[in-house]
Amino acid sequence: MTELISRRAVLRTIGMGGLVLTMGSAKAGECGGVEILLNFDPGSGQLPENLAVDRRGNKYIGMSSLGELWKVPADNTTASPLAVFDIGAGFGVLGVTVTPQGTAFVCLLTGVGEGDDSADTHGIWKVERDGTKSLFAPLPPTTFPNDLMPFRDGFLVTDSTGGAVWYVTEGATTPWVTSELLEGTGSFGFGFPIGANGIVRGKDGAIYVGVAEQGHIVRIPVSQDGSAGTPELFVADDRIFGCDGITIDNRGNLYVAVIAQNTIVRVNTDKSVKTLATESDGLDSPSDVAFGTSGNEQKSLFITNFALLNTENPMPGLATLRVGIPGRPVNG
């Protein structure tokens, strides 16, 4: 499987580019709120897949194919690697979450277990504020850890190829829930399914998971002891087909990066869906969304333009979209 999803294959898909890291404020589109904060260099493999924000407003970005975790200071003017992983033939750094104090946890998908013993261990890694990294918990090499969120004494981690969510604590991993509702269909044509992807806790205490190849948001009730209830379909809509990262505002509305359609959509509490921004607004394979945490950023979404599907003129970067509603805290 890792050969199919290797960073080398990703770079061949993207092609080479001549952009360099720049800072600016390009605004466009009918939404009127998208602003490009940072542009990255696709020719150097700078493809930002996931992000998280600490309480000081620092952003943490997973540069997946480089196997690097980058940090963007609160002023959003620079970006640089904080931690570097040996990903072997694997996809690299995917999901990222961060404590309010700035300790990051990342999903690392490597080639370990499939003939690439030189790579760092496949699983969840902890990165301290000074960049020191350590393995928090390994995951089976057959899993595809795509996103994670704080949960009880550890994290819930989506497994995109397994149709599952894992509960991970320090040094230990346990299947939390498996369901057909969380499975992919293989419709993306990668040779493997992409199912459970972005994950967030709802205002009602349930867990919400975006399922990429089904275009679904699945709701998973949480029992008092922390075990998973029976997953149920929350919403199915063509506008969320190809969904990736997901977050939530303080009213309980969900915000979804729809990478396959170059859109950001909001799923309201009444299950209606509204498109907030599109490719014409400056989106390029948006793969994750996270609310700002400080000052006037609390009513703004931050967006990673992964640029994965743009083979002609990829423009990976960090963007922001003002939505007028503050985010709900999602980190422990």
Side-chain angles (χ1 to χ4, degrees), residues 4 37 39 53 71 78 110-111 118 128 137 185 210 248 263 281 322:
L4 290 168
L37 300 173
N39 292 316
V53 187
K71 183 175 180 179
T78 60
T110 72
S118 64
E128 305 288 356
T185 64
I248 186 171
T263 58
D281 297 304
R322 191 158 181 83

Side-chain angles (χ1 to χ4, degrees), residues 1-26:
M1 181 180 71
T2 53
E3 183 177 351
L4 290 168
I5 55 176
S6 73
R7 56 179 173 173
R8 300 170 185 87
V10 170
L11 291 175
R12 284 198 299 271
T13 300
I14 290 295
M16 299 301 290
L19 297 178
V20 295
L21 179 64
T22 59
M23 282 70 74
S25 57

Side-chain angles (χ1 to χ4, degrees), residues 206-280:
I207 303 302
Y208 291 79
V209 178
V211 185
E213 289 180 333
Q214 297 201 48
H216 293 171
I217 303 293
V218 173
R219 179 182 182 272
I220 308 171
V222 179
S223 302
Q224 192 170 14
D225 64 359
S227 60
T230 301
E232 57 195 28
L233 182 62
F234 178 69
V235 65
D237 194 287
D238 289 344
R239 286 167 289 184
I240 55 177
F241 176 78
C243 57
D244 203 328
I246 185 171
T247 193
I248 186 171
D249 67 26
N250 68 3
R251 298 179 186 175
N253 303 306
L254 302 174
Y255 295 78
V256 185
V258 187
I259 185 172
Q261 300 189 52
N262 280 329
T263 58
I264 302 296
V265 303
R266 182 172 64 216
V267 180
N268 300 307
T269 54
D270 64 1
K271 302 184 182 182
S272 62
V273 179
K274 180 178 181 180
T275 300
L276 301 181
T278 69
E279 182 178 7
S280 65

Side-chain angles (χ1 to χ4, degrees), residues 168-199:
V168 175
T169 56
E170 189 165 11
T173 56
T174 306
W176 189 67
V177 68
T178 302
S179 170
E180 292 183 355
L181 289 175
L182 299 173
E183 293 178 355
T185 64
S187 60
F188 286 172
F190 291 151
F192 51 90
I194 297 293
N197 203 323
I199 185 170

Side-chain angles (χ1 to χ4, degrees), residues 99-190:
T99 68
Q101 296 77 20
T103 299
F105 293 83
V106 304
C107 298
L108 189 68
L109 199 163
T110 72
V112 169
E114 300 196 21
D116 194 351
D117 295 332
S118 64
D120 286 335
T121 302
H122 181 92
I124 307 304
W125 283 71
K126 179 180 181 180
V127 181
E128 305 288 356
R129 291 174 61 185
D130 64 0
T132 303
K133 60 182 172 56
S134 59
L135 179 64
F136 183 75
L139 279 163
T142 54
T143 59
F144 192 115
N146 204 327
D147 199 10
L148 76 169
M149 55 155 279
F151 184 77
R152 296 171 72 87
D153 296 327
F155 302 93
L156 292 179
V157 181
T158 56
D159 177 3
S160 292
T161 58
V165 177
W166 292 71
Y167 177 46
V168 175
T169 56
E170 189 165 11
T173 56
T174 306
W176 189 67
V177 68
T178 302
S179 170
E180 292 183 355
L181 289 175
L182 299 173
E183 293 178 355
T185 64
S187 60
F188 286 172
F190 291 151

